[in-house]
Every structure is written in structure tokens, then in C-alpha cells.
Amino acid sequence: MRTKQTRRVVARSGARANARVLDRVAARFAVAATLAVGVSVAAAATPAVAQVTSGSDPEHELIFSWDRWLDSDELNERMEIMAEQWPEFLTLETIGQSWGGRDLKMMTINNPATGDELDKAAMFIESNVHGNEIQGGEVVIYTIWYLMENYDRIPEIRRLVDERVFYLIPSVNPDGRDWFMDETGSGGRTGHVPVDSDGDGLFDEDGPNDLNGNGVIEQIRKYVPGQGDFIIDPDNANGLRPVGPNERGDYILLGSEGLDDDGDGRVNEDPPGGYDPNRNYASDWQPNYVQGGSMNYPFELPEARAIEDFMVTKPNIAGSQSFHNTGGMILRGPGAAWYGDYPQADVRVYNELGENGERILPWYNYYVVWQGLYAVHGGQLDWANDGHGAVGFSNELWNGGQYYQSPLLREQQQDEDSPIGGGRGSYFFDDYVTFGRNYVEWAPFDHPVYGEVEMGGFRKLQGRVNPRFMSMELFHRNMAFTLYQADEMPLMQMGEAEVERVSGNTFRVRVPIRNDRLMPTILVRARQYNTVRPDILTLEGAEVLMAGWVDEHNFDGTVDRIDQAELDRILVRSGAPGRTTRWIEYLVQGSGSVTIEYSSQKGGTVSTTVNLN
């Protein structure tokens, strides 16, 4: 058994070689202990909940720290540790490589004791499509960890893991993530496929330069007394404000730190990459002159291609969540206005999920992409819906309003005379809450082109990325939204059948078929685009003479007969609507047992057996 002290040391995934070895050894002991009790737990009729023996909660199996950001190797390391800790539920695989040769790691969460993976509705969760939008990677890792740690503690978590499948990718763009994490951060949004951004026949030859070697791409200002456009903000020595009427400025701004590396008279115009990884999907894809950063054709990027190749093999994916930043938004498609809205039946599903998402995620607003953000052509969000028939959301993580959350402080931000008003809130927060960690003071520098200047400004994590101490709420609430979505994916069930002898060996059989959740098994848009196969209703064990849907089960109503030659296999092209029970009636001839099965790609496969007697 590991001691508490050992667990706390070895489960810190920021450690490198020596700690990693200790982790693996310790995890194997933990796996053995878990497996020793796991069989009896899985077999129990009532979910077992761990008892509190000391402190506020039972001790965790793996104790990770959540107060730092992880690079792609560290994300993968944590997934490897968890896969070893909980092998009965977790499967870790590589679905492809980035342009830079980094593995795209994907974790599957499935309880095989409750059914095959493809027979359950699946939730696809990805993050870090843009390299500098890092928080989602930790949300994904936290989600895996939370589901596993609480499987034996929280009955609702156990039910979700037993009923659903989760596919999780913490970093879709590990090249961009590591560039943002380990380098200066400038240009981290893109991937690293070389692009000739300035059209000079060269690729990625003029990116930012860290001239003073402090690891930050700073802003440059030059002191030009009485000839500038800006003056020092009298309420904030680090800030500049534009000159007003009848004022003379003392400073001009010269952009970000860099040089004209290719001698074309421009600075920083051809950085690494230079495209948008979230514009390379096939739904409403547009060429680069319409949608900047889209590349030459859909799925040209190796990361987008790897994800598409994976999703094609998983037709059970019914929900999709992509994590981005920033702004505090819960986004749904369509990405562009001209594309038109989704069919109203689908919109009603999205609206209920999105509006409840606003309740789960304070400071987040539910929008259609083009209305709340900007037009996006060729985005993953639209492709999840249009190409795979999955209900898709994209969360823009972190809202800067959360720096000052009380109504009183929100009012003060609107007051020009307040220390946090007039755009000074970020400086105040950095001074008094993060103790100057996120700001580089302006300092003199002898620039090779501009001469004597000053350089300074906010570091790369300021603004788009939440302060580390505010991470846990962001992780947990966004995870909670995805688990809510997963719980509302279609869930097919069959009720108790009714059997009535008509005469001899001819019987009337009625069976209720239910979808207990909000999402239908087939979205209207998916039916229009033929992206999801029809649900299939089969009967085996007797000859079917007639079949039809019962108009009103509680009364002697009519039966809407199904007009086709072979009635033992019926295609249900409209799928099963959400929160609906439909009764199928068969007139069959035979004896013994009859099996009726309903199979849907998004809602699973259910069946019942009845005896004709």
C-alpha cells in the first residue's frame, strides 16, 4: 500500500523521469488494490458509495495538482497514469500525429460490463484546437480523473459511466500548445504546418523576435515629447491613454517586439504556421480568400484528418464538445448566417441544453456562433452536427468579468475615477492579486531599428487564460456541462410487452419503445443530409403478418400500418424523438419466444423477448 505522503509525491505529473518511474510502480499497486474490490462493486445491484473515514472526503486514488498548466507531454503523462490506474474503464490510444510529430492521444471511457462501446451513445470532447487556448486541456484531464475517482462514490457518476461512452482528446494541437507554453507564446494559436503568409515564396521566415531575451514578446513604445498619440495614464503609470482634444502626446506605439527578418519592410508578418486549425473541416468550408486560414481543402491538416478518421469509426457519437477561449460563451452552430439556422426541432434541443448551460456556467452566455462571436466557415462545430449528426457545442472558456465578480465591483469598473475603472482593472488585479506576475514593467532598450525605446506589457497568460487559482471552478463547471449533455443523449428502452391471442397461433403483440432523454436518435438535419443510418426495428421467432405504430395506446385507436413487403425488419428513418414513447403493434403467427430489437446508432440497442402463449 502507498502511504499518503508517497501518493502525494508520485501523482504530481509535473515531475519528470524519476517521479514518472515512481508513479508507474505506485500506480500498479493501486490498480491491483482497485481490481481486488472492483469485481464485487461492478456486480453489486446497488452502487456502493465510499464511506468518509477521515477529513471531508475519502482519499483519492490519484492526487494531481491543478494549479499549473501542462505541456503536451505532461497531459499525455497524466493520461498514461490514469489508464494504468483504472484499466477496466480506460483505454488510451494514439489516433494520429501532429505536423510536428507529436502524438494525438485519445482516451476512451467505457464500462465493458454494461455493454459494448458502439452499443452506447458516446460523448466526444476535444480541446486546444488553437494552441494558445490551453485551459480546455486541463478540463479534459479533470473530466477523466473526476469520473474515475467518483465512480464508487457518487451514484450519478456511476450511472453515467455505465450508460455512456466518452472519447476525450486534451490537445488537438500539441504543436501550438507547446509553442505557446515553452516559447514566447506569440503565434501559438495556429498549428505548425509551414505557410507562406506574406506571399514572398518563403515559409515562416519572419516571426516575432525576443530581442531582450526575457522570454516575452513585449510591446514597444518610443518617447517623442509633444509629437505622439499617447500620454501616460495619470492614474496608472504602466498604462497609456490616447490624447484628447487639444492635447499633445509624448509616446507612439511601434507594435510588438521583432525585426524585419526577410527585408521586405514589414515586421512579424510571416510567423510559424499562420492558419486557423478550426477552419479546415468540411461543413461550409470556404477557400482562403473567403475564410482566412482555411488551407487549400478540407481535412488537409493532419490533426483535422486524424479526428475525422476517428469519428468515422464511431457512429455512436451523439454529442460533441470543443473547448476554446475566451469570452465566456456557450456556442452552437451554424457558423455563418447565410447557411441558415438548424431545423426548429433541432433548435429546441440546442436551446434547452444551452439555456441550462448558462445556469451551470455563471458568466457564460449561450449564442449562435455568427451572432455572438463572428462568422466561421469550415469549423469543427458545424461538422459535428452536419457531418456526424452529433449535437455540438463550443465553449469559450473564461470571462474577464470574473476578475471582479461582485455587483459593487462591476459598478466600480464603470466609474472612470475608480482604481479599477477606465480599463485599469487588469493592472489593479495584477498588482494586488497576482503580485505583478503577469506584467513586465516598461524598461529602456536600444532597438537596432528604432533606437532608444521602451519595452514592456502583459505576459502571454494575461487576459485569455484565467489566473491559476481560479482554475478549479472553471474545470468543474465546464465538465459538469459536458456531463449534462452526455446524460441528455438518446437512451433507448423497451417496456413490458402486451401479448393477446387472436386465434390459434396468431397473436397481437404490442411493445413500448422509449427514448427517455432530450436528444433524438436522429437529428432532423442528419436525416436531411443522410449522415446517420435509420434506426432498425426487427422481430425474430415468428412470422409477421402485419405491423404498425399505435396512434393512441390508452384507447382503442387506429394503427398506422407500415406498408412494406417484409415486416420483420423495419427502417425507422425519422428515428426516436426525445422524451417520447411509441408503441409498435405486430400481428404474428407462431409459438414460443419472440425477440424484438430496436437498434439506433446514437441511442444504443435494446431488445425484449416475449412468449406467445
Side-chain angles (χ1 to χ4, degrees), residues 227-288:
Q227 304 177 54
D229 303 314
F230 296 87
I231 61 173
I232 299 291
D233 187 337
D235 297 317
N236 174 25
N238 286 324
L240 296 175
R241 71 166 176 82
V243 295
N246 302 318
E247 284 186 320
R248 290 176 178 267
D250 296 327
Y251 287 89
I252 58 173
L253 292 176
L254 298 172
S256 58
E257 193 176 354
L259 298 172
D260 179 13
D261 294 304
D262 57 359
D264 64 356
R266 293 179 289 175
V267 177
N268 300 344
E269 83 285 355
D270 198 352
Y275 55 90
D276 194 320
N278 196 38
R279 307 293 187 270
N280 195 230
Y281 289 82
S283 185
D284 188 30
W285 180 89
Q286 299 294 322
N288 198 60

Side-chain angles (χ1 to χ4, degrees), residues 328-449:
M329 300 179 188
I330 302 168
L331 299 172
R332 73 159 173 93
W338 77 268
Y339 206 49
D341 205 352
Y342 296 148
Q344 281 305 298
D346 295 350
V347 169
R348 285 192 290 270
V349 172
Y350 275 103
N351 284 350
E352 182 170 333
L353 294 171
E355 289 165 8
N356 276 329
E358 290 178 319
R359 301 178 178 102
I360 295 169
L361 288 161
W363 294 96
Y364 287 61
N365 292 311
Y366 165 55
Y367 294 119
V368 178
V369 172
W370 67 267
Q371 292 176 324
L373 192 60
Y374 43 64
V376 173
H377 304 278
Q380 187 273 346
L381 184 60
D382 278 334
W383 182 243
N385 185 94
D386 297 347
H388 292 279
V391 173
F393 285 94
S394 175
N395 284 15
E396 297 287 344
L397 302 176
W398 179 246
N399 185 321
Q402 294 175 259
Y403 286 125
Y404 299 102
Q405 301 196 43
S406 74
L408 173 63
L409 296 181
R410 296 293 288 171
E411 288 180 14
Q412 290 185 20
Q413 284 189 292
Q414 307 306 313
D415 181 359
E416 288 289 334
D417 297 326
S418 166
I420 61 174
R424 293 183 292 275
S426 296
Y427 297 99
F428 186 95
F429 191 90
D430 183 61
D431 285 342
Y432 292 100
V433 183
T434 56
F435 309 104
R437 179 178 179 84
N438 290 324
Y439 192 82
V440 179
E441 300 284 344
W442 292 98
F445 183 77
D446 186 9
H447 194 280
V449 176

Side-chain angles (χ1 to χ4, degrees), residues 31 58 66 75-76 79 136 155 167-168 215 220 283 301 310 321 359 368 404 518 527 544 554 567 574 595 598 611 613:
V31 169
W66 301 102
L75 292 175
N76 291 342
M79 288 203 292
Y167 303 120
L168 305 104
I220 305 173
S283 185
L301 298 174
F310 170 77
Q321 175 70 53
R359 301 178 178 102
V368 178
Y404 299 102
L518 171 64
R527 187 165 74 247
V544 182
N554 294 318
L567 294 169
S574 61
T595 299
Y598 191 94
N611 290 315
N613 52 39

Side-chain angles (χ1 to χ4, degrees), residues 25 28 89 109 127 161 261 280 339 365 367 377 452 573:
V25 173
R28 277 194 284 273
F89 296 109
I109 303 177
S127 177
V161 172
D261 294 304
N280 195 230
Y339 206 49
N365 292 311
Y367 294 119
H377 304 278
E452 291 298 324
R573 300 186 185 277

Side-chain angles (χ1 to χ4, degrees), residues 123 125 187 205 246-247 264 298 305 309 360 367 379 400 533 536:
M123 185 76 197
I125 306 173
E205 80 285 354
N246 302 318
E247 284 186 320
D264 64 356
R305 168 53 63 185
D309 288 346
I360 295 169
Y367 294 119
R533 74 149 169 83
I536 301 174

Side-chain angles (χ1 to χ4, degrees), residues 185-203:
S186 182
R189 176 182 174 86
T190 181
H192 279 204
V193 176
V195 173
D196 177 16
S197 299
D198 57 352
D200 63 357
L202 303 175
F203 293 80

Side-chain angles (χ1 to χ4, degrees), residues 318-333:
S320 174
Q321 175 70 53
S322 186
F323 288 119
H324 294 249
N325 80 22
T326 181
M329 300 179 188
I330 302 168
L331 299 172
R332 73 159 173 93

Side-chain angles (χ1 to χ4, degrees), residues 38-223:
V39 173
S40 61
V41 168
T46 302
V49 178
Q51 299 300 310
V52 176
T53 57
S54 64
S56 62
D57 294 302
E59 192 71 68
H60 292 301
E61 292 293 325
L62 293 176
I63 302 177
F64 290 138
S65 64
W66 301 102
D67 60 350
R68 56 185 300 275
W69 305 114
L70 309 176
D71 64 22
S72 62
D73 284 342
E74 291 173 310
L75 292 175
N76 291 342
E77 181 183 354
R78 285 202 176 184
M79 288 203 292
E80 290 165 2
I81 292 168
M82 290 190 288
E84 291 185 3
Q85 180 72 12
W86 295 291
E88 65 271 41
F89 296 109
L90 301 184
T91 303
L92 182 62
E93 61 182 303
T94 299
I95 64 168
Q97 277 77 37
S98 68
W99 173 265
R102 293 173 174 85
D103 286 342
L104 301 178
K105 293 285 190 179
M106 197 276 303
M107 184 77 85
T108 298
I109 303 177
N110 178 50
N111 183 2
T114 60
D116 292 337
E117 176 186 327
L118 293 179
D119 285 337
K120 304 173 190 174
M123 185 76 197
F124 175 79
I125 306 173
E126 66 163 26
S127 177
N128 204 197
V129 176
H130 298 124
N132 62 342
E133 300 180 357
I134 59 177
Q135 302 102 307
E138 273 73 13
V139 176
V140 169
I141 295 296
Y142 178 81
T143 301
I144 302 169
W145 176 84
Y146 188 88
L147 290 174
M148 293 296 94
E149 287 285 353
N150 291 289
Y151 181 80
D152 288 329
R153 301 176 184 179
I154 303 176
E156 283 296 290
I157 296 301
R158 172 180 286 230
R159 181 182 60 78
L160 273 174
V161 172
D162 287 349
E163 289 179 353
R164 306 307 194 182
V165 176
F166 295 85
Y167 303 120
L168 305 104
I169 305 177
S171 182
V172 172
N173 182 4
D175 295 347
R177 184 184 187 91
D178 285 356
W179 179 263
F180 180 74
M181 296 283 291
D182 300 334
E183 304 296 333
T184 61
S186 182
R189 176 182 174 86
T190 181
H192 279 204
V193 176
V195 173
D196 177 16
S197 299
D198 57 352
D200 63 357
L202 303 175
F203 293 80
D204 299 354
E205 80 285 354
D206 195 357
N209 308 92
D210 181 13
L211 300 177
N212 59 5
N214 68 347
V216 182
I217 298 299
E218 299 162 81
Q219 296 301 301
I220 305 173
R221 71 186 188 188
K222 189 173 181 65
Y223 183 58

